[in-house]
Structures are given as structure tokens and as C-alpha cells.
Amino acid sequence: MSNMDSGLKDKIIGKAKEVEGKLTGDKMREVEGKAQKTKGKVKAKAKKVKDDIEADHQIDEDC
């Protein structure tokens, strides 16, 4: 599984936990969901930065 896939997975699971926490009144579950959702966003952003750097490096090698 790629970093992008796992980032998406964390965002989806995090959102589900957040909603579950809101529905049940469980603040800890809600916060846990928000944290996992944020983790997914960070993973996705890190993957994008890595891909951008690799693309720049590839362009520099071609010159």
C-alpha cells in the first residue's frame, strides 16, 4: 500500500471515529478521530512533497 493510500485510509477512518464520537457523546473518540484524520492529511501532504522533489530532481538530471 502506498503512502497516499494509507493517508486516505487514515482520513476516512479518522472521520468515522470523529462522527461516532459526536453521535455517542464520547469526546475522547471524537478527538482520536480528529487526530487520525490529521495524520492522514500529513501523510498525503508528505507524499506530495516527496513526489514534487523527485520530479524536480528528475528534471535537473535531464538538463
Side-chain angles (χ1 to χ4, degrees):
M1 184 182 302
S2 74
N3 285 344
M4 189 66 140
D5 291 341
S6 65
L8 180 61
K9 183 179 113 181
D10 281 326
K11 287 192 279 186
I12 292 169
I13 292 172
K15 182 64 176 177
K17 287 179 182 179
E18 182 182 355
V19 169
E20 177 188 11
K22 285 181 181 180
L23 290 175
T24 61
D26 185 347
K27 289 290 184 189
M28 283 301 296
R29 187 69 168 174
E30 186 178 341
V31 170
E32 180 184 346
K34 286 181 181 182
Q36 188 167 359
K37 190 169 65 170
T38 300
K39 176 182 169 185
K41 289 178 182 180
V42 169
K43 280 184 177 181
K45 184 65 88 174
K47 173 79 167 112
K48 184 180 180 330
V49 168
K50 179 182 173 216
D51 290 346
D52 288 348
I53 290 171
E54 287 175 349
D56 274 352
H57 184 68
Q58 185 66 30
I59 291 170
D60 289 344
E61 287 180 353
D62 291 341
C63 289

